Amino acid sequence: MIAQARLRVAGRLPRQTILALALLLVLFSSLVYGVSDSVRGIEPSLLWPLVWIGLPLGWLLAYWQVRGWLATIIVMIGGVVPLSLSVGQLGGHLATLLGELANVLWQVMRGSFWPDAVQIQAAWTELVNSATVLVTRLYNWALNLARGQPAFDPLPAALLWGLVLWGTVVWAGWAIRRRVDSVWAVAPAVGLLAATLAYAGGRV
């Protein structure tokens, strides 16, 4: 079955496209490790999922010829939401809340007229508190930056760098399909890596 699936994929995707996406993965591995090595508080484990998801997403948006405004919304939601859940450590609280909601639903389906919803309230409170901390730290960081008193905070830094990388990855996947031009596809990524090394004094 695996061999058949590979043949189907190979039949639908030209070899040139597969090779181009593979080379993009090599390029972005350099970008991931370059950014994580140069910027304090940025781990490769945060950036790699952006690469693995962003490349095929950009390629599919170009393949399906999604309109610009809709593609922009999809890219923004696809980047901001997962990064916020990961960087702000909201994913665990959200999973707990969804689990408690499923538990209450199960109680109702079993005929319980007064299901126990105490745990839902507790999980919701934890999620709101964590989201409030995330928003507060982002606000304080932006406020200090506007005042000309930038202070390093690993949370806004990780979110910002993650969003920048996400944009370059999606662009690369989109450009390699729509423009069929490797220079246009890799230019933002190369520029980002060069700017990162120049700004942070990272190892070439």
Side-chain angles (χ1 to χ4, degrees), residues 25-26 28-30 32-33 43-53 165:
L25 284 176
V26 174
F28 279 104
S29 66
S30 299
V32 165
Y33 288 111
E43 298 294 334
S45 58
L46 172 68
L47 303 180
W48 267 120
L50 302 177
V51 175
W52 287 105
I53 297 174
L165 177 66

Side-chain angles (χ1 to χ4, degrees), residues 85-96:
L85 293 175
S86 177
V87 173
Q89 299 181 349
L90 305 179
H93 298 307
L94 180 60
T96 301

